[in-house]
């Protein structure tokens, strides 16, 4: 569907499943490596979205039990959904794939806001459950609007990075944990680098083609995943420090805690015994 056509029509749905039906075409050449996959690197670069979240589901069992927030597993499942839909989109360049990709990102971002928005930022008297219902309504409304004017979806989603970064910086300044601060700095750098890759691939493709590196969007997938899940880990830590006063949250790394380039996760310890993680 051409972006100027506006709202999707029922008879367009089948066409939108066809390969190449999307107006978005990234810098990487189409069907260069495989006759079945349109953008080979852009498709395979989603692998982290599929491999890491199942491990995070396991690592965050302690957090989910201690803080009583099992909806964190929704975040990890949505990360997998983003990876699957992005891979489908880049493999087919279909409009259906594009919409699935963008809507999965929208639902992931809104779910993150619903779960981890700091309580002090909520209107006075508004309970977390009511806020979650409000975010659900906003997400459904956003889904409808995304189908009305899909050409602005990508740039609209990018703007969510501004309030998320602001809240992350605010929380980092309140936190005195050096380990958290270092992860926060790496997360901001990763996000900035990811945005740089996305914008350059989208707006300066000819330049990168001259340099024979039309793979910045694939690099965006890797960087934005690392930034996104690290951001989730950080907000899970901030939330645990506020919502579980009887426990001490600890940032740890898998597989070796002393190796800070591993996979970060949060575990909680009883305040009277900080040597062992709490397990209900």
């Amino acid at each position: 569907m051409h972006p100027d056509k506006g709202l999707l029509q029922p008879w367009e749905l089948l066409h939108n499943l066809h390969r190449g039906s999307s107006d978005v075409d990234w810098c990487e050449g189409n069907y260069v490596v495989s006759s079945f996959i349109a953008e080979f690197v852009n498709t395979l670069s989603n692998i982290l979205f599929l491999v890491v979240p199942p491990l995070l589901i396991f690592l965050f069992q302690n957090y989910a039990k201690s803080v009583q927030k099992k909806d964190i597993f929704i975040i990890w499942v949505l990360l997998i959904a983003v990876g699957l839909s992005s891979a489908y989109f880049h493999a087919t360049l279909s409009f259906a794939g594009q919409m699935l990709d963008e809507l999965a990102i929208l639902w992931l971002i809104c779910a993150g806001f619903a779960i981890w928005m700091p309580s002090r930022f909520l209107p006075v008297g508004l309970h977390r459950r009511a806020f979650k219902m409000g975010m659900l309504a906003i997400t459904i409304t956003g889904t409808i609007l995304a189908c009305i004017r899909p050409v602005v979806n990508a740039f609209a989603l990018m703007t969510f990075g501004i309030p998320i970064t602001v809240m992350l910086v605010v929380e980092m300044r309140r936190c005195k944990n050096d380990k958290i601060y270092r992860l926060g700095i790496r997360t901001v750098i990763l996000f900035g680098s990811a945005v740089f890759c996305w914008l350059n691939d989208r707006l300066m493709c000819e330049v990168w083609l001259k340099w024979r590196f039309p793979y910045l969007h694939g690099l965006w997938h890797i960087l934005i995943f690392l930034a996104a899940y690290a951001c989730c880990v950080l907000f899970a830590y901030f939330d645990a420090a506020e919502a579980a006063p009887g426990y001490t949250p600890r940032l740890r790394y898998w597989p070796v805690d002393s190796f800070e380039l591993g996979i970060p996760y949060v575990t909680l310890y009883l305040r009277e015994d900080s040597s062992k993680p709490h397990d209900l």
Side-chain angles (χ1 to χ4, degrees):
M1 187 192 79
H2 191 278
D4 292 336
K5 290 183 180 180
L7 185 64
L8 291 175
Q9 301 299 324
W11 54 83
E12 294 178 307
L13 294 178
L14 288 179
H15 169 72
N16 292 330
L17 295 171
H18 294 171
R19 289 177 175 269
S21 55
S22 172
D23 293 309
V24 178
D25 192 0
W26 297 95
C27 199
E28 182 184 358
N30 298 337
Y31 300 103
V32 174
V33 177
S34 170
S35 58
F36 300 100
I37 301 176
E39 297 174 345
F40 190 81
V41 173
N42 286 351
T43 300
L44 265 62
S45 58
N46 288 286
I47 186 65
L48 290 180
F49 285 91
L50 308 180
V51 173
V52 178
L55 177 59
L56 293 172
I57 291 175
F58 170 74
L59 293 175
F60 272 83
Q61 294 288 333
N62 168 271
Y63 168 89
K65 292 178 181 178
S66 302
V67 188
Q68 294 296 309
K69 281 197 174 180
K70 294 186 178 181
D71 44 6
I72 189 176
F73 298 133
I74 296 175
I75 298 293
W76 310 138
V77 171
L78 285 173
L79 275 173
I80 295 174
V82 169
L84 288 173
S85 57
S86 178
Y88 170 59
F89 167 51
H90 290 289
T92 63
L93 292 179
S94 66
F95 181 73
Q98 175 192 338
M99 291 301 298
L100 286 173
D101 184 17
E102 293 167 349
L103 292 178
I105 296 172
L106 173 65
W107 280 78
L108 172 63
I109 292 173
C110 290
F113 273 112
I115 296 171
W116 289 314
M117 174 71 78
S119 297
R120 66 182 181 281
F121 292 157
L122 299 181
V124 177
L126 182 65
H127 296 293
R128 175 68 60 174
R129 181 178 179 83
F131 178 69
K132 288 181 179 180
M133 296 304 296
M135 285 303 305
L136 177 60
I138 291 174
T139 307
I140 294 173
T141 302
T143 300
I144 296 171
L145 293 176
C147 296
I148 294 176
R149 190 58 62 183
V151 69
V152 303
N153 290 352
F155 292 96
L157 289 171
M158 197 68 69
T159 61
F160 278 107
I162 298 175
I164 293 173
T165 303
V166 170
M167 283 195 299
L168 178 60
V169 172
V170 169
E171 294 300 302
M172 285 171 55
R173 294 183 65 179
R174 297 178 72 247
C175 182
K176 306 302 181 182
N177 187 308
D178 291 339
K179 206 172 183 181
I180 287 291
Y181 186 80
R182 290 193 297 270
L183 178 59
I185 293 297
R186 291 197 298 271
T187 301
V188 173
I189 293 174
L190 284 168
F191 177 70
S193 302
V195 173
F196 171 85
C197 291
W198 190 91
L199 290 174
N200 272 264
D201 193 277
R202 188 72 176 258
L203 304 177
M204 299 182 64
C205 178
E206 293 183 1
V207 174
W208 291 96
L209 283 174
K210 290 180 180 178
W211 291 348
R212 298 184 180 181
F213 192 79
Y215 308 115
L216 284 180
H217 194 76
L219 188 56
W220 145 268
H221 286 154
I222 296 172
L223 294 173
I224 199 60
F225 173 80
L226 295 174
Y229 96 86
C231 187
C232 291
V233 171
L234 287 166
F235 277 107
Y237 177 92
F238 300 140
D239 176 69
E242 177 182 334
Y247 306 104
T248 300
R250 295 280 182 83
L251 176 66
R252 302 182 64 86
Y253 288 89
W254 184 90
V256 180
D257 187 42
S258 59
F259 182 62
E260 293 196 4
L261 296 182
I263 297 177
Y265 66 100
V266 176
T267 189
L268 282 86
Y269 296 79
L270 288 169
R271 289 196 183 276
E272 61 269 21
D273 181 10
S274 60
S275 62
K276 295 182 181 181
H278 171 60
D279 188 14
L280 296 182

